[in-house]
Amino acid sequence: MARQYLRIKEVIRICRVDGKFIECLERERIIEPIVRRKLKLYPPEQVDRVRVARLLIEEMGVNLEGAEVVLHMREQ
């Protein structure tokens, strides 16, 4: 089964976030895109992390560190 990778513009549209939000998540290593030929690609599990982080931070008022803890716990 082939994996589908999304470009940043698609992640922004799907998750209803802006580029700065994604940059922040990358800087804090909450998400880690795959880089191929200087192009950032996001596998489905990273897109899900963006979606959950947005929900936690923007809609539930959780801070960035708290969102990181919740995302880590979800993986366990």
Side-chain angles (χ1 to χ4, degrees):
M1 183 173 195
R3 277 189 108 154
Q4 179 183 4
Y5 297 100
L6 300 176
R7 295 180 180 188
I8 191 165
K9 288 182 180 183
E10 296 167 313
V11 176
I12 289 170
R13 181 180 49 80
I14 290 168
C15 297
R16 297 185 316 239
V17 297
D18 60 17
K20 290 188 184 289
F21 185 78
I22 292 180
E23 288 173 13
C24 179
L25 295 179
E26 288 177 10
R27 190 173 42 254
E28 296 296 323
R29 301 179 89 47
I30 293 173
I31 62 169
E32 295 183 26
I34 295 168
V35 180
R36 292 193 181 148
R37 297 184 186 181
K38 298 183 182 180
L39 179 66
K40 291 182 180 179
L41 300 173
Y42 299 84
E45 62 271 5
Q46 296 298 303
V47 176
D48 184 55
R49 289 175 70 86
V50 173
R51 187 178 296 125
V52 172
R54 184 192 73 77
L55 174 72
L56 291 167
I57 293 168
E58 294 181 2
E59 295 185 19
M60 300 180 77
V62 175
N63 65 18
L64 191 59
E65 293 80 14
E68 185 175 11
V69 169
V70 170
L71 288 166
H72 180 71
M73 289 173 61
R74 284 183 80 220
E75 290 176 352
Q76 303 302 317

